[in-house]
Amino acid sequence: MIRMLLRVLGHQYAQAMRRTVILMTVTAIAEGLSYALLVPVLRALLGGAPADAGPWLIAFGAAVAVYAALRYTSDLSGMRVGTTLLRGMYHRLGEHLARLPIGWYSADRVGEVSVMASRGLLQTMGVAAHLLAPFVSALVTPLTIVAVILAFNWRLGLAALAAAPVVAVIQRWTARSMAATDAERHERDKEATGRVIEFLQAQPVLRAGGRTGERFTLLDDSLQELQRASRRTVLSALPGAVGLTLTVQAIFTAVLVLGAYLALGGNIGAAEVLTILVLAARCADPLLSLSDIGGKLRGARSELARLDEVLRTGPLPEPREPIQPERHDLEFASVTFRHGDRTVIDDLSLSVPQGQRLAVVGPSGAGKSTLLQLLARFYDVDSGGVRVGGVDVRAITTETLMAQIAIVFQDVYLFDGTIEENVRLGRSDAGEAEVRAAAAAARLDEVIERLPGGWAANVGEGGALLSGGERQRVSIARALLKNAPVVLLDEVTSALDPVNEAAVHEGIERLMAGRTVVMVAHRMRTVRRADRVVFLDGGRIVEEGRHDELLRRGGRYSDFWGISMTPVAGE
Amino acid sequence: MNATDLAEAREKSTPPDAGSAAGQSLAGLLRPYGWSFAAVVLLQVIGAVAGLAPLLAVVELGRALLAPGPIDHGHVWTVVIAGAVGLFVRLLFTAASSGLGHVLDGQVQLTFRRQLAARLGRVPVGWFSRRRTGELAKVVGEDVSAVHPFVAHTPGELVSAFAVPLVSLIYLFTIDWRLTLITLIPVVLAVSLVPLLMLPARLREQEEFDAAMGRIASSVVEFVQGIAVVKAFGGSERAHRTFLTAADDFVSVFSRWVRGMSVVAAGMQLALSPPFVLLVVLIGGAALITSGGMAPADLLPFLLLGLGLTAPVAALGHGFDDMQAARRAVGRIKEVLEVRSLPEPEQPVAPRGHRVELRDVRFGYDDDHEVLRGIDLVLEPGTVTAIVGPSGSGKSTLVQLLPRFFDPTHGSVVLGGADLREIDSRELYRMVSFVFQDVRLLRASVADNIALAIPDADRDEVIRAARLANIHDRIVELPRGYETVIGEDVRLSGGEAQRISIARALLADAPVLVLDEATAFADPQTEQAVRRALATPGGDRSILVIAHRLETVADADTVVVLENGKIVERGRPAELLAQNGEFAAFWRSHRSAAADETETRAGVLQGDEPR
């Protein structure tokens, strides 16, 4: 656990953390040792010589003062380290997230990461930090006290010491059995959350199916499964908690019995045995709290493990000796790319000469968008190579590569800010006139005129306040402003109404002029303007050539379009 | 250390009444489990009090050993046995309490989630479009889980944290009231520091803290969701900076707040620490014993039980932290449970026929902005009505009123002579089916997905609908055909999902069909499926379509031009074209947009291959 924490913290902060843990340990030992002075104090007080207690009491007072100073320092340093840590972790996670390949960000990751990087991090750090001190103290103080008892009476000391291995074994065993059920529960949790989201998103459909009143079985099943899993968690935690309590209590009883026996036999002074029993009682409480703290630590641990996993996911490697591409032709050389166990791109070779336009057409799932993503190095290929200007994209720094490429996605994500800010994302140092020109070329100017606030109009989270077509125009303006030599277009006009489509097309025409273009398309109009068309299916090129040629060939490509040309009346 | 000791203190400083309303409703939700709760608490209290037995045994042992004269062996062993029995009782009862509490917790959570699901199944569909799914899922998932400590831990722990010290206190008072008061000094000291945690400055810091956390959360969502754009435009800096700024901002608020709290918090911890308590007891005890005011043996119970007196103060911290978190969670749960569902008619009216009439319909998502501004429209059975208009004109909103995703704010939507609000919702959905752009498939078999509206449809009907929707061939290719589970065995593309939803609507065979033609643009196959759906000889089916294709517009019986929430033109396409108004302009702009395409088609059709 601590090792994982240190790893997550990274080298820089591990040192501070280690110092804090040491300080905590020293504090716990000081607490245990201070109790040693209880023996002479009580011997005097209970043994009928209260006057002798004075000096010992002063000594105990001094020990408590030392403990207090240590504890205070340790608490404050803990707080300080805690906040430094928090800042460091936010930066570490933020920087790491920015470097992870886009391929890593699947749809279900978004929610997970959002929680992790906001409240999750605070909780993980907080809980880990918050629980560490009690945990160290619950472990170290009793051990020190046992050592003290051992020093005063070896028989009672040994009896108390017997608890140590048993407690250790139980802790370890509980941890292991809990880890399994925790994992199961987490699975069920995920399953149930998935069902809840599905249930919410499918509401219109479910209602249309008349499933409003009755319980939605798929959801209800997984909720019940969740309850069963949590019951199993409880049952598997119970033996550990009971076992620990039983051990601690049995040992305390043994010390009590042994103490009584020794005292009755006259082998030990009454004051001494009573003091030892007081100390033993002092041991029991922290030990009993161990199972509680242990449970909470396990909870924190699974959070920590998720954080650890993310931080250990490697970003795409940056080249050690980066090469600057001189040209802007594109090439796929025997590229194979797998996603999980599915081959998305299968030994594909293809080249686009500088300044030419390539259209990629094919059925859904053929790997069209993947081609674009490989060009932009959202993923790395499994074999073969993707080259820009003859240079493998892995030999180009991300920064340089991105400077070569402008992408217009099908779904445009805009940042919560003004339209101007979103357009300027293309090139932050662009002049006023350039921004206006890009907007005009993308026919964004008419949108801006219409909007209250104009250029300063806020687009809302994700661009929600604009329509799909309007967002698309923003993204084209952005790409125009960027003025990159390579343009990638991903089904840009797929869901637009004709007015927007016409506007967007106009913008795109301007964007494509004089640049090397790869566009995924399914509107014949876009495809016709391409210098070359490839028809993709199952990650392979099935046909390629000019649009007219392919149509006349009467193969897959012409079938693909043919479908929409079949007169409906003929059905 | 730290961060969360402070978080605790922060929770404590929340004004107490903030959670009380939620607390009440929590009590209401939990009422059916009252007896079980009582059992949990009772078992816990018995167990905790029995836990005092061994300490008392040590005290009695001390009295026996320190008493002058011969030691009563029998008494000593009785005391030892009593102590051991006490420990055993404690073990038994606390384990039982904890087990019962957790089982109960599972049941309570299941009930909460079921209630939430039931409620969410009844709220207006439109309500969802204004909420984030993630947030709602969090309420059903995490927030319900956050109630866990409240149900499983807190009642027992909190009660025993007060019961045990109370019993101890009474016992100690009977032994020596002076030393009891002295023993209470550390507790008083700690409690006297509490007000320092509630200074106005602290409260203000807490508000800042919440606000800063919120900024982190939204910046991270933006950061993650926009990651592709961020990378593609090298703008990682911007999003990244926003996140880091928010994080730094948060950490400085946090550390300011920590700095404000830390000294006080550390002081409290110190006052409550065992060595300090023991020191106070010993000094007091030594003074009393030396002056002869107290028997030495009477010191023992204070040493053993005195430490326990600090428990309530410590529990206040821990327990209240969880309690406050649970309360906030319950507040959110309650908020969802209180959303007004679309009112179901008390005496549903059965629609006669399926003529649809919109009468002076007005609608706005917000009070100050109307999206629809007085729509009058009739959909006669057996006709196709096409809506055209610029984006933002209210087309999508208009069609969503038919399946009653929202109720109009003014005017009414009438189906077969009955206001939608008076029609039973099942009846309504039997009559109105829809295909919108936002397709959701369930993680269930393909067949179940298609037959969603007609669960008892037989396979032949499902297959026929799938054929019509142009998806049958694709389904047959799937690993388990119609039994393939979507999302598990296979992921479907957007176009394929669209076609499944078209098959769904075709199977439902409702007399009123509402669809958004933008759906068609996923790929040529989907477009063809939509056209088939439109052309399926439905006899007297009424169709309302948001049209994007000239063909659709040309084939429609009525065209409605919507602009800025109002119908500006309506009529047969040819008439409208002749009027040379808005529609004619619209038509021309599309024609030029579509010209290339038609040209291409013509070219192909003239090609040498007979097709």
Side-chain angles (χ1 to χ4, degrees):
Chain A
M1 166 91 190
I2 293 188
R3 207 173 308 142
M4 195 194 291
L5 181 64
L6 293 179
R7 187 170 60 222
V8 167
L9 293 178
H11 189 63
Q12 199 181 349
Y13 298 103
Q15 206 54 39
M17 193 68 210
R18 236 179 247 130
R19 266 202 301 278
T20 309
V21 171
I22 290 172
L23 200 54
M24 286 173 192
T25 313
V26 171
T27 309
I29 292 176
E31 180 183 350
L33 287 180
S34 75
Y35 295 139
L37 289 166
L38 286 181
V39 180
V41 171
L42 287 180
R43 196 186 279 148
L45 286 178
L46 301 177
D52 296 351
W56 290 114
L57 205 52
I58 291 169
F60 181 58
V64 171
V66 170
Y67 160 77
L70 277 171
R71 165 109 197 222
Y72 191 76
T73 322
S74 145
D75 275 7
L76 286 192
S77 120
M79 288 172 191
R80 219 163 315 142
V81 169
T83 47
T84 323
L85 227 62
L86 201 61
R87 189 189 302 267
M89 284 315 294
Y90 273 121
H91 280 250
R92 180 141 188 241
L93 187 64
E95 258 140 44
H96 191 77
L97 286 176
R99 271 163 53 221
L100 282 175
I102 297 192
W104 184 82
Y105 288 94
S106 59
D108 49 339
R109 280 260 163 73
V110 175
E112 193 186 324
V113 172
S114 309
V115 173
M116 181 185 292
S118 53
R119 205 162 279 277
L121 192 63
L122 177 70
Q123 267 162 5
T124 317
M125 289 294 111
V127 168
H130 175 49
L131 290 176
L132 217 50
F135 185 73
V136 168
S137 138
L139 217 55
V140 175
T141 308
L143 271 175
T144 318
I145 294 177
V146 169
V148 168
I149 297 178
L150 208 57
F152 281 100
N153 185 298
W154 64 271
R155 273 172 293 199
L156 285 170
L158 278 185
L161 195 60
V166 185
V167 168
V169 167
I170 290 178
Q171 279 295 86
R172 185 156 287 246
W173 178 71
T174 320
R176 205 171 301 155
S177 77
M178 287 297 294
T181 41
D182 275 353
E184 191 212 329
R185 190 170 167 177
H186 187 65
E187 264 316 297
R188 299 271 162 265
D189 246 345
K190 246 171 72 183
E191 157 94 20
T193 309
R195 284 293 182 200
V196 169
I197 290 180
E198 175 183 284
F199 175 73
L200 294 174
Q201 292 184 331
Q203 272 305 309
V205 172
L206 286 174
R207 300 208 186 176
R211 306 276 178 97
T212 32
E214 84 213 58
R215 276 181 193 143
F216 176 45
T217 5
L218 292 173
L219 174 65
D220 205 58
D221 284 351
S222 68
L223 289 183
Q224 278 187 38
E225 204 43 60
L226 186 63
Q227 189 210 3
R228 269 179 233 127
S230 91
R231 190 173 292 192
R232 272 194 292 278
T233 318
V234 176
L235 290 181
S236 70
L238 217 48
V242 170
L244 182 71
T245 315
L246 192 66
T247 313
V248 173
Q249 295 186 348
I251 298 291
F252 184 76
T253 310
V255 172
L256 184 63
V257 170
L258 187 62
Y261 172 78
L262 290 175
L264 290 179
N267 291 324
I268 186 172
E272 206 165 1
V273 86
L274 290 173
T275 312
I276 287 175
L277 285 175
V278 168
L279 290 181
R282 202 70 282 291
C283 277
D285 275 346
L287 281 179
L288 286 178
S289 69
L290 263 185
S291 77
D292 208 32
I293 301 176
K296 285 181 184 158
L297 272 177
R298 271 193 297 279
R301 199 229 295 266
S302 55
E303 273 297 320
L304 197 60
R306 276 192 280 281
L307 196 60
D308 187 39
E309 198 193 314
V310 170
L311 287 176
R312 284 211 282 177
T313 309
L316 294 180
E318 286 286 319
R320 223 171 288 159
E321 287 163 29
I323 305 173
Q324 178 87 29
E326 304 286 332
R327 313 185 308 267
H328 309 116
D329 54 312
L330 308 172
E331 188 187 0
F332 286 79
S334 312
V335 167
T336 299
F337 173 70
R338 293 184 199 88
H339 202 115
D341 48 3
R342 202 166 72 92
T343 305
V344 187
I345 301 293
D346 189 2
D347 192 24
L348 178 140
S349 294
L350 175 68
S351 61
V352 188
Q354 181 162 336
Q356 289 219 354
R357 297 179 192 177
L358 175 77
V360 183
V361 180
S364 346
K368 293 169 293 186
S369 302
T370 310
L371 276 190
L372 300 188
Q373 289 167 349
L374 290 175
L375 269 171
R377 205 183 172 210
F378 286 5
Y379 307 89
D380 270 343
V381 298
D382 288 295
S383 69
V386 177
R387 303 196 186 110
V388 173
V391 182
D392 194 297
V393 289
R394 285 167 293 195
I396 308 173
T397 60
T398 312
E399 213 176 308
T400 315
L401 181 65
M402 286 308 167
Q404 309 288 314
I405 298 176
I407 312 178
V408 180
F409 298 95
Q410 181 177 4
D411 296 318
V412 184
Y413 188 88
L414 300 184
F415 290 100
D416 196 353
T418 65
I419 291 208
E420 171 147 13
E421 281 169 351
N422 272 288
V423 173
R424 273 187 185 277
L425 201 57
R427 190 153 48 90
S428 47
D429 59 351
E432 183 79 14
E434 288 173 289
V435 175
R436 297 287 183 271
R443 285 183 58 183
L444 182 62
D445 46 356
E446 23 187 280
V447 176
I448 290 166
E449 263 167 45
R450 207 167 49 232
L451 286 173
W455 276 101
N458 200 288
V459 300
E461 189 191 300
L465 300 179
L466 299 184
S467 78
E470 291 164 346
R471 282 204 294 272
Q472 200 60 268
R473 293 189 211 184
V474 174
S475 86
I476 291 169
R478 187 148 79 188
L480 278 165
L481 188 64
K482 183 166 181 181
N483 197 17
V486 177
V487 171
L488 307 179
L489 305 171
D490 193 356
E491 308 211 44
V492 176
T493 54
S494 67
L496 301 184
D497 58 88
V499 176
N500 268 307
E501 197 187 326
V504 167
H505 264 291
E506 218 179 292
I508 291 221
E509 273 307 320
R510 293 190 180 131
L511 178 60
M512 293 195 294
R515 300 191 167 95
T516 312
V517 178
V518 179
M519 52 187 164
V520 170
H522 53 96
R523 303 304 300 270
M524 214 185 284
R525 176 169 181 229
T526 348
V527 181
R528 282 188 64 228
R529 304 245 166 95
D531 295 301
R532 203 153 56 101
V533 178
V534 295
F535 188 85
L536 213 62
D537 195 10
R540 290 166 170 275
I541 295 176
V542 185
E543 290 176 349
E544 62 177 308
R546 280 195 58 88
H547 174 70
D548 314 350
E549 281 167 38
L550 288 178
L551 278 184
R552 289 200 162 71
R553 198 179 295 168
R556 290 286 306 275
Y557 183 76
S558 71
D559 277 351
F560 184 77
W561 295 119
I563 286 171
S564 62
M565 285 187 285
T566 314
V568 175
E571 292 295 315
Chain B
M1 99 180 228
N2 34 37
T4 26
D5 271 341
L6 300 178
E8 230 161 68
R10 188 174 77 83
E11 304 297 358
K12 271 183 280 180
S13 58
T14 341
D17 55 70
S20 66
Q24 279 163 17
S25 84
L26 180 69
L29 288 169
L30 294 178
R31 194 160 299 130
Y33 301 96
W35 288 109
S36 314
F37 269 116
V40 170
V41 171
L42 194 67
L43 287 170
Q44 181 74 34
V45 169
I46 294 176
V49 173
L52 290 176
L55 300 181
L56 295 178
V58 175
V59 171
E60 282 307 307
L61 185 67
R63 285 191 209 287
L65 293 179
L66 294 175
I71 299 167
D72 180 351
H73 285 225
H75 179 63
V76 166
W77 289 120
T78 317
V79 164
V80 168
I81 288 168
V85 169
L87 276 180
F88 185 67
V89 170
R90 166 186 162 148
L91 176 65
L92 215 61
F93 279 70
T94 48
S97 162
S98 157
L100 185 62
H102 279 85
V103 169
L104 186 64
D105 173 47
Q107 279 169 358
V108 169
Q109 292 194 17
L110 182 62
T111 313
F112 272 22
R113 294 198 168 107
R114 279 183 168 158
Q115 280 187 4
L116 283 168
R119 168 60 57 185
L120 289 170
R122 284 196 304 266
V123 302
V125 172
W127 185 79
F128 289 101
S129 66
R130 308 252 116 190
R131 295 281 175 308
R132 266 177 234 145
T133 314
E135 272 167 30
L136 289 174
K138 182 175 160 288
V139 172
V140 181
E142 270 177 56
D143 282 348
V144 173
S145 298
V147 179
H148 163 85
F150 191 89
V151 175
H153 296 282
T154 318
E157 283 166 15
L158 217 54
V159 168
S160 59
F162 283 93
V164 174
L166 194 68
V167 172
S168 312
L169 199 63
I170 293 170
Y171 172 74
L172 292 180
F173 258 113
T174 62
I175 293 175
D176 192 297
W177 64 270
R178 290 162 302 180
L179 194 51
T180 308
L181 290 182
I182 293 172
T183 310
L184 283 174
I185 289 176
V187 177
V188 173
L189 217 57
V191 169
S192 67
L193 289 175
V194 169
L196 289 181
L197 296 175
M198 299 199 185
L199 295 176
R202 299 288 97 81
L203 295 179
R204 207 167 43 240
E205 274 161 14
Q206 182 199 334
E207 273 162 29
E208 285 172 20
F209 177 94
D210 284 340
M213 188 81 244
R215 281 197 295 278
I216 285 205
S218 57
S219 74
V220 85
V221 166
E222 188 174 89
F223 179 48
V224 172
Q225 286 185 336
I227 192 83
V229 177
V230 157
K231 292 226 161 190
F233 286 91
S236 43
E237 251 174 61
R238 185 197 175 275
H240 191 198
R241 210 175 39 231
T242 318
F243 172 68
L244 291 185
T245 314
D248 282 346
D249 199 31
F250 170 75
V251 175
S252 32
V253 169
F254 184 71
S255 69
R256 202 169 338 128
W257 172 70
V258 163
R259 230 174 294 130
M261 293 289 198
S262 59
V263 175
V264 182
M268 275 178 77
Q269 294 282 353
L270 208 57
L272 295 175
S273 71
F276 183 69
V277 178
L278 285 177
L279 182 66
V280 171
V281 170
L282 281 176
I283 292 175
L288 286 172
I289 293 173
T290 317
S291 68
M294 193 178 82
D298 284 344
L299 179 61
L300 278 176
F302 289 93
L303 291 176
L304 291 162
L305 300 179
L307 288 172
L309 295 182
T310 61
V313 185
L316 275 179
H318 291 269
F320 274 78
D321 183 11
D322 286 347
M323 287 273 263
Q324 290 288 0
R327 275 203 171 145
R328 280 195 298 266
V330 166
R332 286 187 291 266
I333 292 172
K334 208 181 105 184
E335 213 175 283
V336 171
L337 287 178
E338 279 174 357
V339 174
R340 289 236 309 275
S341 48
L342 266 193
E344 283 287 319
E346 275 173 34
Q347 287 167 322
V349 178
R352 279 189 306 269
H354 57 273
R355 187 170 185 271
V356 178
E357 234 179 298
L358 281 80
R359 295 178 185 154
D360 192 21
V361 166
R362 288 171 176 275
F363 179 79
Y365 296 98
D366 311 310
D367 291 338
D368 54 346
H369 181 66
E370 274 196 331
V371 181
L372 298 177
R373 305 186 300 160
I375 301 283
D376 286 292
L377 181 64
V378 177
L379 310 181
E380 294 290 350
T383 63
V384 174
T385 306
I387 307 182
V388 296
S391 58
S393 58
K395 291 174 297 186
S396 307
T397 309
L398 175 61
V399 297
Q400 285 182 3
L401 293 180
L402 262 64
R404 207 181 167 202
F405 282 11
F406 304 93
D407 279 336
T409 39
H410 177 266
S412 58
V413 182
V414 176
L415 172 66
D419 191 308
L420 291 193
R421 283 169 285 214
E422 287 166 1
I423 301 173
D424 180 85
S425 60
R426 286 176 189 236
E427 182 67 24
L428 174 66
Y429 288 124
R430 258 197 292 279
M431 301 197 56
V432 179
S433 71
F434 49 88
V435 182
F436 292 153
Q437 234 173 311
D438 192 19
V439 180
R440 295 294 170 195
L441 298 184
L442 303 181
R443 193 147 46 97
S445 73
V446 174
D448 286 352
N449 265 291
I450 295 179
L452 195 70
I454 322 271
D456 54 349
D458 62 33
R459 185 51 58 89
D460 289 345
E461 292 173 299
V462 170
I463 292 178
R464 204 173 57 226
R467 277 187 200 281
L468 275 174
N470 226 331
I471 187 71
H472 173 73
D473 293 343
R474 172 74 177 121
I475 296 173
V476 175
E477 281 172 17
L478 295 176
R480 284 156 57 206
Y482 277 86
E483 291 311 315
T484 311
V485 176
I486 296 172
E488 267 171 30
D489 299 341
V490 71
R491 280 187 185 282
L492 296 183
S493 73
E496 289 160 349
Q498 294 282 17
R499 275 175 271 154
I500 298 247
S501 82
I502 294 166
R504 194 186 267 163
L506 288 173
L507 181 66
D509 199 27
V512 178
L513 175 62
V514 183
L515 57 87
D516 184 342
E517 214 186 17
T519 302
F521 296 161
D523 55 48
Q525 285 91 339
T526 311
E527 181 178 340
Q528 198 203 13
V530 168
R531 298 250 227 109
R532 277 200 221 189
L534 285 172
T536 308
D540 63 348
R541 176 184 293 168
S542 350
I543 296 177
L544 180 63
V545 55
I546 298 182
H548 293 262
R549 290 297 215 200
L550 284 182
E551 293 93 323
T552 314
V553 178
D555 291 344
D557 298 290
T558 312
V559 175
V560 172
V561 182
L562 206 62
E563 222 177 75
N564 207 4
K566 280 185 164 166
I567 294 179
V568 290
E569 274 180 44
R570 75 174 85 204
R572 300 197 150 272
E575 291 167 19
L576 289 184
L577 215 49
Q579 278 175 21
N580 207 15
E582 291 286 335
F583 178 72
F586 176 81
W587 179 271
R588 280 193 300 271
S589 79
H590 290 203
R591 247 235 310 253
S592 68
D596 308 324
E597 216 141 302
T598 359
E599 213 174 281
T600 320
R601 284 178 195 197
V604 176
L605 292 174
Q606 287 158 8
D608 32 23
E609 302 289 320
R611 301 186 55 84

